[in-house]
Structures are given as structure tokens and as C-alpha cells.
Amino acid sequence: MRKILFFLTFALMVIATWMTLFYAPTEVVMGHVQRIFYFHMGTVWAATVAFTVVFVASIYYLVKETAKWDTLAYCSAEIGMLLLTLTIITGSIWAKPVWGTWWTWDPQLTTTFILWVLYAVYLVLRSGAGGRGKKARYSAIFAIIAYVDLPVVYVSARIKRGISPVVFGPGGGGIDPAMMHTLLVTLLGFTLLFVLLLGERRRIMNMENALYARGGRGG
Amino acid sequence: MRKIFLIFRKDFLVEWRSKQIFPTMFVFSLLLLLIFNVAFEFRSDINFRAVSAVIWITFIFSGLLALGRSFSLEKENNAFAFLLLTPVSRSCIYLGKLLSNVVMVLLSELFILPLFLLFFLLNAKGLSLSLTGEILPFLGVVVLGTIGFVSLGTFFSSMALNTKLRDMMLPLLVFPLIIPVVITSVGICSSILEGKPFGYYAFSLQVLVSFDIIFVLLCSLLFEYLIEDSGD
């Protein structure tokens, strides 16, 4: 199962890279730099999935109080953090030629930045909480509040008008079918990548815990 | 409802008699206003947005200072363990504490506001202050914004106290979460000072009120999980 998932993810990521670079047509206005947009969307999508997993796992932990939900939430938060950092970096690279600036306080960017800070605090809280049970409980509570807070942050940031592109929904510009294919394959690829990484991270975490329980040096 | 009020009365009396938090908060706010004034060097060319930001940063910083105390006081003599022994649900304890914190923070804000007026707004050009036009709406926003940041502040002060980092942890937990309060409160206050009509900031007001409702409810719900019976 692990091997199948690994090869499937690998194949999809290779195809996604190929499609991004060769299959998708060059965007008329923005040119080749627009191609980074596919990976930008891929990472932000997978990060959203990751933080939703954190949220759901945190609720389960508070209700059931079994350590496996806490492990799941923690591993997912770590990977989500990595993906979101990649989102911000790729977005910045895209924004420089298109908007003429590396960063601007547009609602989507503000929300993304606050999301990043919230999960940075989540990881700090885990390292500074103290005992195991307390760490798990406190971080679960914080994760739930943070996830509920985020839409409110977005709405309040919207009070100022934004410039991030709205691709879908009302006001969206529509999209070329070939671009759509590329986007879908990339999204699927990153979803699988997230699942793969999550599984691996949990395996490592469980090994660490097992070693720690056996009285190894542990960290 | 009566239980909430009893907890509120207890906390308020403790503060009223000991007078620990209140003077500290007041002097701290005063110093913040002084620092802002020296740093910005406002003369008559006052930017209402910046002035609103000054007052809210002052409120939030001094407010969190007071909230840090609200649970550490309970830690002395293990008072909180006894509070948990009383036949009162956890959410009632939270709501009682929230109420007493809101009242205390609001009281000190009430003392700060005239000084704020004196230091920052007295020389402002194009500012007309009338009771119903500016002052009452301004105070209303102060109350709503205070409820917003105190709701999360009260909740997380009890969490922060039990972590290894203690007081260091509180601003870290609260600041990113109260961004909507900062955006909306500062926005509405500057709109009011600029004399904008109600329709101009009605949406911000909706967001602020929703924030208050969502987080007072969520925090009182989650408070049950925050406090463990073992008292660790």
C-alpha cells in the first residue's frame, strides 16, 4: 500500500511538472511566469486540506482523548506549515513580475500570512506547553479556535479591496481547458503528496514514541 | 445567571480591595500614550487613522497585561482548585471571569479616554465632537472591541499560565487571533472621527459583533476542555 501510494504520487508529480512546463498554453498577458501558478495552487490546496485535517483531528482528540488523533493533528500541522511556506514563496515569485511587488497587504495575502503565523504559534505552543497530555489538549483547543478565526480574518480583511485574481466564481475570467487539466492534475498530485508525507511523518512519530516508551534517550 | 454574577462579584471585590491591576493598567496606558505621542509628534496635522490605531494598541496592550493577572491571582493559595469544587459549571466560571475582566478593562479605558482626547485630539483640525454624533458611537465601539479581545484574552490567560513559557505565551496566542477586532475597531473609530455616515462602517460593525458572539460562545464551550479535573 505504501509502495503503491509512493509510485502513484511520484508519477503524478512528474506528469504535473511536465504539464505545467509543456502542456499548458502560455498565458497571453503574463507569459511563462504564470506557470508557477499551478504549483502555487497545488500547495495552497494541500495546505488547506492539511489544516482541515488538524481541525477535525483536534475535535476528535478533545472528545476521545486518544493519542493517535493528537499525533495526526501535529503531523498534519507540520506538513501544512511546509506547504503554506511554499505557497507564499511561489506566490511572491509570481507577484513580482505581475503586480510589480513581492508582497502587498491584499485580503488573501493578509489572511495567508495570519494563517501562517497561527500555525507557527501552534507549533510554538506545542514545544512550550509542558506535559504530554497538556500539550495535546492545549494545542487541540488552539487549533479549533484558529480554524474558526480564519474566515473572520478573511472577511475583516476584505473591508479593504483586494487584487488577488479571482479565477472561479462570479467575476472570474474563465480558464482554457488545457490549463484546467493541468490545474486538476497538479491539485491531485499535491493531495497525494500530502497523504504520502502525512503517512510517513506519522510512522516516524510512532517510532519515536515507541522508542521513548522503551526508555531510549528520546527527544 | 446568578452564578455568573457571583463569580463576577468575587473577582471584582478582590480587585477593588487589593487595587493591584487597576493602577498598573492605568499608568501603563499612560506611558504608552506618552511613547506614541513622542514617537509620532502629532501637531495639528492629525491623521485620524493613526490616532485610532494608537488608542486601540494602548487598550489591547494594557488590557492583556491585566488579563495575565486574572488567573495568576487564582493560582496563589490554590484558589482555582476550590473554585472548581463549587457546584458551578465551567462555562459559568468562564463567563463570570469574562464579565469581571471586561468591566475592569472598560473602567480603566474610561479613565484613559479623556487623556487621549487631551493629548491627541484637542488640536485636531476639522474635528467636531457631539454627544450623539461621535462620543456615544465611539464608546459603543470601545465596548464591543473590548469584549472581543477580552473574550480570547481571558480564555488564553488560563492556558498560558499553565504552560512553561507562562506570560510570554499570552500575547503570542492572542495577537494573531484578534486581528479582526483590530481591523474593524480601528476602522470604525477613524470613520467616526472623520465624521463619516453610519452606512460607511455598518459592515465593519457587523463583523465586530459577529466576532464577539462567535468567540464568547466558542470559548465558553471549550473552557470545559481547557480545565482538567486533575488540576495539572
Side-chain angles (χ1 to χ4, degrees):
Chain A
M1 188 59 201
R2 243 180 95 212
K3 281 223 168 98
I4 297 171
L5 183 64
F6 175 77
F7 282 113
L8 206 61
T9 312
F10 183 73
L12 256 173
M13 289 304 284
V14 170
I15 294 170
T17 311
W18 176 80
M19 282 177 95
T20 301
L21 292 178
F22 303 106
Y23 174 74
T26 309
E27 219 272 343
V28 186
V29 186
M30 296 180 243
H32 285 300
V33 70
Q34 184 264 343
R35 293 179 191 277
I36 203 171
F37 183 74
Y38 300 110
F39 272 51
H40 179 63
M41 281 290 275
T43 50
V44 76
W45 161 253
T48 313
V49 173
F51 294 132
T52 309
V53 170
V54 178
F55 174 65
V56 176
S58 297
I59 294 177
Y60 267 97
Y61 177 77
L62 283 187
V63 176
K64 303 232 156 112
E65 294 207 13
T66 40
K68 74 171 184 188
W69 292 110
D70 177 54
T71 311
L72 180 66
Y74 173 58
C75 297
S76 191
E78 239 182 37
I79 300 164
M81 195 68 187
L82 175 73
L83 289 165
L84 197 67
T85 309
L86 287 174
T87 306
I88 294 175
I89 293 172
T90 51
S92 220
I93 295 171
W94 178 81
K96 180 61 185 161
V98 176
W99 293 340
T101 173
W102 296 106
W103 184 265
T104 165
W105 291 102
D106 141 275
Q108 290 192 29
L109 271 72
T110 311
T111 313
T112 310
F113 178 69
I114 291 168
L115 178 63
W116 194 90
V117 172
L118 281 171
Y119 286 92
V121 170
Y122 176 88
L123 295 177
V124 171
L125 178 62
R126 289 196 70 99
S127 67
R132 240 189 113 64
K134 201 193 281 180
K135 178 164 81 180
R137 205 168 64 235
Y138 285 0
S139 54
I141 290 171
F142 182 77
I144 292 170
I145 293 186
Y147 196 84
V148 174
D149 191 59
L150 214 64
V152 190
V153 171
Y154 183 66
V155 171
S156 62
R158 276 278 293 265
I159 292 169
K160 294 179 227 145
R161 198 171 53 85
I163 56 171
S164 264
V166 181
V167 182
F168 307 104
I175 187 168
D176 186 284
M179 288 181 169
M180 193 65 181
H181 301 154
T182 312
L183 185 59
L184 288 177
V185 172
T186 316
L187 290 187
L188 191 65
F190 271 99
T191 313
L192 283 186
L193 181 67
F194 164 69
V195 176
L196 179 75
L197 285 176
L198 185 61
E200 294 301 306
R201 185 71 187 88
R202 279 182 69 192
R203 256 167 52 87
I204 295 170
M205 190 85 185
N206 288 334
M207 281 183 208
E208 271 175 18
N209 289 342
L211 270 177
Y212 192 67
R214 277 173 60 178
R217 275 190 298 147
Chain B
M1 209 54 213
R2 215 180 78 86
K3 288 170 186 167
I4 296 172
F5 181 73
L6 282 175
I7 288 172
F8 159 70
R9 209 178 73 117
K10 168 194 86 70
D11 274 11
F12 197 73
L13 276 179
V14 167
E15 171 52 27
W16 192 251
R17 303 224 167 113
S18 66
K19 296 189 182 58
Q20 273 191 320
I21 299 169
F22 197 82
T24 321
M25 238 183 109
F26 182 73
V27 177
F28 186 70
S29 307
L30 214 62
L31 287 173
L32 277 176
L33 284 185
L34 176 70
I35 287 172
F36 280 126
N37 212 335
V38 173
F40 276 123
E41 281 211 326
F42 288 125
R43 292 289 175 261
S44 59
D45 55 332
I46 277 174
N47 177 341
F48 287 128
R49 176 86 199 179
V51 165
S52 310
V54 163
I55 192 68
W56 277 103
I57 294 172
T58 307
F59 284 169
I60 289 170
F61 276 45
S62 61
L64 280 191
L65 191 76
L67 297 180
R69 282 297 294 170
S70 98
F71 276 90
S72 62
L73 212 63
E74 300 275 10
K75 274 227 136 168
E76 287 169 23
N77 302 327
N78 218 359
F80 199 64
F82 289 105
L83 189 60
L84 289 179
L85 284 176
T86 54
V88 176
S89 78
R90 304 280 157 85
S91 16
C92 278
I93 295 178
Y94 169 74
L95 290 174
K97 288 225 159 262
L98 173 64
L99 196 62
S100 73
N101 283 339
V102 166
V103 171
M104 265 188 284
V105 172
L106 274 179
L107 268 176
S108 76
E109 286 173 357
L110 210 62
F111 278 92
I112 282 299
L113 274 172
L115 291 166
F116 167 68
L117 196 71
L118 181 73
F119 289 166
F120 287 92
L121 291 177
L122 222 57
N123 301 321
K125 269 187 210 146
L127 179 74
S128 62
L129 284 178
S130 69
L131 190 64
T132 49
E134 280 82 27
I135 295 173
L136 283 181
F138 196 97
L139 289 178
V141 176
V142 168
V143 172
L144 287 174
T146 303
I147 294 173
F149 79 81
V150 172
S151 67
L152 284 168
T154 305
F155 185 82
F156 282 113
S157 73
S158 70
M159 181 192 280
L161 245 167
N162 287 311
T163 63
K164 274 190 292 188
L165 292 170
R166 300 212 163 214
D167 295 359
M168 275 284 286
M169 207 63 217
L170 182 61
L172 227 59
L173 292 167
V174 174
F175 283 162
L177 291 170
I178 58 168
I179 294 288
V181 177
V182 179
I183 294 177
T184 53
S185 304
V186 174
I188 300 170
C189 282
S190 69
S191 307
I192 291 174
L193 292 178
E194 284 162 11
K196 294 261 169 55
F198 178 73
Y200 190 81
Y201 54 81
F203 181 68
S204 302
L205 198 63
Q206 278 175 4
V207 175
L208 183 57
V209 172
S210 332
F211 185 96
D212 287 0
I213 296 171
I214 292 171
F215 285 101
V216 169
L217 287 179
L218 189 67
C219 288
S220 61
L221 196 74
L222 285 175
F223 202 70
E224 313 258 337
Y225 296 100
L226 184 62
I227 308 298
E228 271 294 84
D229 296 310
S230 56
D232 59 349

